[in-house]
Amino acid sequence: MSTRDPNLLRNNIWKWLVLGILAVFSFYVSNPLFDQKDADGKLLVQGKLRRGLDLKGGTSFTLGVDKDKLAEILIAEDPKVTNTPGRLEARIDEVLADADQRIIEVVRRRVDGMGVNEPVIQGGKDHRLTVQLPGIEQEKRLAARQSIQSAAFLEFRLVHPRNDDLVARLLSTDACPEGYVKSTKTSGYEKAPDFAEVSSRRGYQARFSSFRVPDTHYAFMMDNEGRPYFVSRKAELTGDSLTSARVDRDPISSKLSIGFQLDSKGAATFATLTRNYKAHGPRNPGNVGRQLAIILDGQLYSAPVINGEIPSGRGEITGNFTPAEAQQLANVLNAGALPAPLKILAESTVAPTVGEDAVNKGLWAAGLGFALVALFMVFYYWYCGLAADVALALDFLLLPSALVIAANVLGVFARDASMGGGGSTVLPVLTLPGIAGLVLTLGMAVDANVLIYERIREEFKANVTAGTAIKNGYARAFTAIFDSNITTIITGAILFTFGSGPVRGFAITLTAGVIISMFTALVVTRLMLDHTVDPESVKPFRMLQAFKQPSFDFVGKGKFTVAVSGAIIVVSLAVFAIRLVNKPASVLAVDLTGGTAITFSFDQEAKPAEGDIRKALDAFDNGAVVQYQKSLDGKSDTVLVKTSYTADNVTEDVVPNKDVPAKVQGLLDAALPSAKFAQVGVDEVGSVVGEDLKKSGTKAVCFSLVAILIYVAFRFRFGFGLGAIVALAHDALISLGLFSLCGRQVSLIVITALLTIIGYSVNDTVVIFDRIREDMHREGRLTFKEVANASINRTLSRTFITSLTTFFAVLALFAFGDGMVYDFALTMLFGVIAGTYSSIFIATPVMLWWYRGKRPDLEDEAKEGSL
């Protein structure tokens, strides 16, 4: 009968206590996980799990202040603002000084007026705004876009007293405002064929408003029928006094109008204005009342004659409105005016059915990944593998705690309300890349267990008892576990800092997975072994061994392996560069180049050829990219159409309502009606956002490399850090090159995968370097090259097993993923293989070349402590 160390058991009490606290906290922050409803479908309790738009469907807009349009508005109001250098820029800064909160408030009221449930409206840097509208129907997307963008700036301005004479004289000449020609239908003007190009030129609005004006106090304007007016630049009254707006219908003509009501102050001003400028009024001695122009967002809707004083503060805006247009206009007027014009920088739409399908595929991928990893661990490590599987299961149960902790830790680097943090216990929003990060951590989670078990195996070879083997195995594996996981957390922090939306969701789940897997591997499995294994037993644990006594000369092949890798990198990147120069859209996704990417489903039995789709789009964009995306079952393939056009760079003459997806679908439906195309996803990214994402992605990669170099150099020496960085660059470049050779487009999610590869690969490299550092103190008679070679061989089993389990998880993602998850998984497949290869054949040889084969002067940093 054996006895257990009573001190060890007493010391384990705090570990059980921490485990219990985490379990209770996880239950608290996640219960109930899903919405609870009664038999009639009425919501009783809202679930704690919040899904991103890519999982539940909806539309997301990224908005920014249109500074060019704001400048034109300010110049049109006061042309003298350009006379003093810097005055215009100062006025813009003045307008935007406190505009952000006002913009959020106005947009929120407009969204509420559309009846959208649980919208997310969040401000950002550089006067940007993110608006997420979950569950919004496809047909309401355009109305939402127009409503959110509309400035809703209502003005009442006086028309020139001699307007009729001035207009008659103008129309008697051949002069036309820039971009217009004489109308053949009405007494006015109509758009010229080159209007789209002319109106996009800088300063157009200011030039247009100054066309043939009698003096600088008036602006040239036209109504929707093309009739010209000369309108005072001074607003007598603005929409700030508006209290309500409604849709009215004329009982005789059935025409729609927008009735409005002003507050008491506005009503008094309106009464004074109409009294002064009615016929024979104090400021209008003529027999006819002055015309009062009603202007909304710079567009003149009507200019009725003031026939008498209006003391009630009521009025109406007339025009040829459809019911939808009239209701939308009333909604934006009720919400109030924006302090500055907005433009859509990026837009993303996902159909609800696609989001639901993504969740199901994510669950299948997680289930398959868990099953493959769990079965392999039991098969390879038997009882110890079972302990690792228990820890793996606990990773899921304790994940809510880890997600909250990770969100708060990463929130220090970048604030994102949708992702929690800031002391909040709210679960971060779950995104599709977040699910991918969760599945990926399944494969990486057992890495710590593998390190520990391989160390325990080595301890048994020294003929020690089970208690000693367990104690020493955990202690000697701790340094490698800590260092390797810290590098992954560094990558997660950089991803969170420079990423946005779904990428931040991935960063949180990846970091949370690392945190909780470290805890379960170092604490939970240790508790299981301490309480179930006889510490006095000298019988080694039952484990398989892939490599019995490996003695491969890895280092000796360094020159050859580096040359082979260099050749692969040069060839693959050369092909990538050629394609990038000839047709950037074929290798870069819209989130990096700007443009619109529309994913269509279609009748699988009437699948059209790619050439037919391109032909249908040639008249619109002969550079459009068409790419079929295969599904796992082969019965739900989709087609991706990418065009360089966005709502930001087209006019309504080219694309009605600037709705690029609708334009593309209309062309496809006309040319290929039997295919029955239906939009299931839209990504529209303006050039500004695309450029920003490229810069942030480049910064993220560079900062990751520098941060890891600093950390590895600090923990080891500079030569080790250099070897690690060269290996990481190798992994990223090979993965990028091979991914591109597969004909896929590089997107933000691919950059995320490259950063993940960097974190994963350095994990393996650090484990080898840690063993080299340890063996340098033990193997005093061997040369540095021999020590390095021996260390690689001693960690070969761990390298093989960890790569295999990670490969299992990525393979599950690859099997069930599509779209961005497919791209992520494909990149990771290349990265796992490249990372395993570089840790052995690149990192160590480069480190040895730096030191010219001589031992560096390392301090004794061997860790012999216990947990």
Side-chain angles (χ1 to χ4, degrees):
M1 181 176 178
S2 62
T3 59
R4 302 183 189 278
D5 185 354
N7 292 326
L8 176 63
L9 300 181
R10 279 195 297 270
N11 290 336
N12 282 344
I13 292 177
W14 71 268
K15 298 179 183 179
W16 287 109
L17 181 62
V18 172
L19 180 60
I21 292 173
L22 287 175
V24 171
F25 185 65
S26 290
F27 179 80
Y28 168 75
V29 300
S30 62
N31 184 59
L33 191 60
F34 302 104
D35 293 343
Q36 295 184 351
K37 302 179 180 179
D38 60 16
D40 298 326
K42 183 179 179 181
L43 181 65
L44 299 176
V45 182
Q46 188 170 357
K48 299 291 183 68
L49 179 64
R50 300 181 297 157
R51 292 185 298 170
L53 289 187
D54 54 356
L55 295 182
K56 61 182 176 182
T59 297
S60 173
F61 298 99
T62 299
L63 305 167
V65 171
D66 191 338
K67 292 187 178 181
D68 290 338
K69 188 173 182 180
L70 177 58
E72 290 194 354
I73 292 173
L74 295 175
I75 294 171
E77 291 176 353
D78 179 14
K80 296 179 181 178
V81 74
T82 59
N83 293 344
T84 304
R87 176 58 182 159
L88 177 60
E89 290 73 14
R91 281 286 293 125
I92 292 175
D93 292 340
E94 184 181 326
V95 171
L96 298 180
D98 55 354
D100 288 3
Q101 193 56 42
R102 171 65 176 162
I103 289 174
I104 292 175
E105 291 173 359
V106 171
V107 171
R108 187 179 300 280
R109 286 198 293 268
R110 293 183 185 182
V111 171
D112 290 342
M114 291 187 291
V116 179
N117 294 323
E118 300 180 15
V120 176
I121 302 172
Q122 182 177 334
K125 62 181 181 179
D126 298 328
H127 307 292
R128 290 188 182 177
L129 182 69
T130 299
V131 180
Q132 296 182 355
L133 308 177
I136 192 170
E137 299 174 5
Q138 190 74 16
E139 56 268 21
K140 289 185 177 180
R141 180 177 59 83
L142 180 60
R145 173 210 291 263
Q146 292 175 335
S147 178
I148 291 172
Q149 274 191 291
S150 174
F153 191 63
L154 182 63
E155 296 176 293
F156 300 88
R157 301 192 209 169
L158 289 168
V159 178
H160 196 283
R162 296 187 298 108
N163 183 72
D164 291 345
D165 293 338
L166 293 171
V167 169
R169 188 182 307 168
L170 174 62
L171 292 176
S172 66
T173 69
D174 294 330
C176 297
E178 191 176 355
Y180 285 84
V181 295
K182 285 285 189 67
S183 175
T184 57
K185 300 176 182 178
T186 63
S187 179
Y189 303 98
E190 61 185 26
K191 293 177 180 177
D194 63 346
F195 174 80
E197 190 273 329
V198 171
S199 61
S200 64
R201 296 172 185 168
R202 186 175 180 84
Y204 171 79
Q205 188 60 43
R207 294 193 300 275
F208 178 84
S209 65
S210 299
F211 176 69
R212 295 297 179 94
V213 293
D215 59 66
T216 58
H217 294 94
Y218 287 87
F220 177 81
M221 303 190 77
M222 287 192 298
D223 63 12
N224 290 326
E225 302 296 326
R227 289 186 291 263
Y229 293 85
F230 292 99
V231 182
S232 173
R233 293 182 183 271
K234 176 187 176 183
E236 303 295 333
L237 184 66
T238 68
D240 290 342
S241 300
L242 191 75
T243 60
S244 65
R246 67 191 180 281
V247 179
D248 292 332
R249 184 184 293 273
D250 188 292
I252 299 176
S253 66
S254 294
K255 285 189 174 182
L256 297 175
S257 62
I258 311 299
F260 59 83
Q261 174 67 55
L262 302 173
D263 60 21
S264 58
K265 182 180 178 180
T269 303
F270 198 56
T272 302
L273 175 65
T274 53
R275 182 174 64 252
N276 285 338
Y277 291 99
K278 67 180 181 178
H280 304 294
R283 296 191 178 182
N284 181 34
N287 296 323
V288 180
R290 287 281 293 275
Q291 285 179 281
L292 184 65
I294 302 177
I295 300 166
L296 180 65
D297 291 346
Q299 172 62 47
L300 191 153
Y301 277 84
S302 59
V305 175
I306 301 174
N307 292 320
E309 180 180 348
I310 304 176
S312 63
R314 292 192 181 97
E316 67 175 10
I317 306 171
T318 59
N320 296 321
F321 303 119
T322 65
E325 289 171 343
Q327 188 58 58
Q328 178 184 325
L329 187 54
N331 285 341
V332 297
L333 285 172
N334 284 323
L338 289 168
L342 296 179
K343 62 180 178 180
I344 292 178
L345 303 177
E347 176 184 347
S348 178
T349 299
V350 178
T353 53
V354 175
E356 196 65 33
D357 185 53
V359 174
N360 294 333
K361 289 181 177 180
L363 292 176
W364 275 104
L368 177 61
F370 179 87
L372 290 174
V373 173
L375 289 173
F376 176 79
M377 290 300 290
V378 171
F379 171 76
Y380 196 87
Y381 287 111
W382 298 89
Y383 180 71
C384 289
L386 178 62
D389 288 346
V390 171
L392 197 59
L394 280 175
D395 288 343
F396 277 103
L397 297 177
L398 302 179
L399 186 63
S401 295
L403 288 171
V404 172
I405 293 171
N408 279 277
V409 171
L410 296 179
V412 174
F413 301 97
R415 186 75 179 97
D416 190 333
S418 66
M419 292 298 167
S424 170
T425 58
V426 176
L427 290 175
V429 171
L430 182 63
T431 63
L432 189 56
I435 292 179
L438 177 60
V439 175
L440 181 62
T441 57
L442 287 174
M444 299 174 63
V446 296
D447 177 50
N449 295 114
V450 172
L451 277 167
I452 293 167
Y453 297 159
E454 292 299 318
R455 284 291 194 165
I456 290 176
R457 187 204 302 274
E458 293 180 13
E459 292 298 320
F460 272 120
K461 290 181 180 179
N463 297 321
V464 299
T465 62
T468 303
I470 293 171
K471 176 183 176 181
N472 292 344
Y474 276 85
R476 289 174 177 164
F478 177 77
T479 302
I481 293 172
F482 179 82
D483 284 335
S484 59
N485 281 288
I486 284 295
T487 55
T488 304
I489 292 175
I490 289 173
T491 302
I494 291 173
L495 273 172
F496 190 86
T497 301
F498 291 98
S500 62
V503 173
R504 285 183 170 173
F506 171 81
I508 288 179
T509 54
L510 180 67
T511 305
V514 169
I515 292 173
I516 204 63
S517 63
M518 280 185 66
F519 173 79
T520 56
L522 293 171
V523 176
V524 175
T525 58
R526 177 71 183 271
L527 287 173
M528 289 184 64
L529 296 180
D530 282 346
H531 290 274
T532 60
V533 173
D534 181 1
E536 301 301 325
S537 173
V538 294
K539 184 179 180 181
F541 295 153
R542 186 179 179 185
M543 301 177 185
L544 297 181
Q545 190 169 3
F547 302 97
K548 296 292 184 180
Q549 294 289 335
S551 58
F552 301 109
D553 183 17
F554 294 111
V555 175
K557 298 178 175 60
K559 293 182 179 179
F560 174 76
T561 56
V562 170
V564 170
S565 292
I568 295 174
I569 291 173
V570 169
V571 172
S572 61
L573 291 186
V575 174
F576 175 80
I578 292 172
R579 294 177 62 201
L580 181 64
V581 171
N582 292 334
K583 193 174 183 180
S586 66
V587 293
L588 297 180
V590 294
D591 51 4
L592 298 182
T593 63
T596 302
I598 313 109
T599 303
F600 292 100
S601 63
F602 54 87
D603 185 342
Q604 302 294 315
E605 295 181 359
K607 180 178 179 180
E610 287 187 12
D612 292 337
I613 297 177
R614 288 194 181 92
K615 184 178 179 181
L617 301 175
D618 274 350
F620 173 61
D621 181 3
N622 58 16
V625 174
V626 178
Q627 184 181 79
Y628 274 108
Q629 298 179 330
K630 300 290 185 180
S631 62
L632 185 65
D633 57 10
K635 299 178 181 179
S636 55
D637 293 356
T638 57
V639 61
L640 175 70
V641 177
K642 176 185 174 184
T643 171
S644 60
Y645 292 116
T646 68
D648 190 38
N649 61 19
V650 298
T651 65
E652 294 191 6
D653 288 354
V654 178
V655 178
N657 298 317
K658 297 188 175 183
D659 191 353
V660 176
K663 174 73 174 181
V664 172
Q665 179 154 10
L667 293 170
L668 294 180
D669 289 343
L672 304 163
S674 60
K676 298 178 182 178
F677 290 103
Q679 296 177 32
V680 295
V682 175
D683 283 301
E684 187 172 317
V685 180
S687 57
V688 174
V689 172
E691 192 63 31
D692 286 351
L693 290 175
K694 276 194 289 189
K695 290 179 180 177
S696 63
T698 302
K699 286 181 181 178
V701 173
C702 293
F703 275 111
S704 290
L705 293 175
V706 172
I708 290 172
L709 171 62
I710 293 172
Y711 182 80
V712 175
F714 171 75
R715 291 291 291 151
F716 298 90
R717 285 293 183 272
F718 177 80
F720 288 81
L722 180 63
I725 290 302
V726 172
L728 298 185
H730 161 277
D731 301 340
L733 293 176
I734 277 191
S735 300
L736 175 62
L738 295 179
F739 175 84
S740 179
L741 285 179
C742 292
R744 307 293 293 185
Q745 295 177 351
V746 178
S747 63
L748 193 59
I749 198 64
V750 174
I751 294 178
T752 301
L754 294 177
L755 286 167
T756 307
I757 289 168
I758 289 174
Y760 167 80
S761 177
V762 76
N763 186 314
D764 198 14
T765 301
V766 165
V767 170
I768 293 175
F769 283 174
D770 184 81
R771 191 55 178 260
I772 291 174
R773 178 176 56 185
E774 179 182 334
D775 288 348
M776 284 177 62
H777 301 287
R778 295 184 175 182
E779 307 291 347
R781 297 181 180 180
L782 299 180
T783 65
F784 189 29
K785 180 179 178 181
E786 291 171 338
V787 170
N789 214 39
S791 298
I792 295 174
N793 279 283
R794 286 169 181 166
T795 56
L796 190 59
S797 290
R798 175 265 163 201
T799 299
F800 171 76
I801 295 169
T802 300
S803 298
L804 191 62
T805 56
T806 305
F807 190 83
F808 284 156
V810 176
L811 192 62
L813 278 176
F814 183 78
F816 289 98
D818 54 16
M820 69 168 67
V821 172
Y822 179 90
D823 288 345
F824 177 87
L826 179 60
T827 310
M828 283 300 303
L829 284 176
F830 292 134
V832 169
I833 297 171
T836 304
Y837 176 89
S838 69
S839 297
I840 297 173
F841 293 107
I842 303 296
T844 304
V846 170
M847 181 267 293
L848 288 171
W849 293 340
W850 174 261
Y851 291 115
R852 298 180 181 179
K854 298 179 181 179
R855 285 181 179 241
D857 183 18
L858 295 178
E859 297 177 358
D860 187 0
E861 300 180 25
K863 308 294 182 182
E864 299 291 344
S866 62
L867 296 175

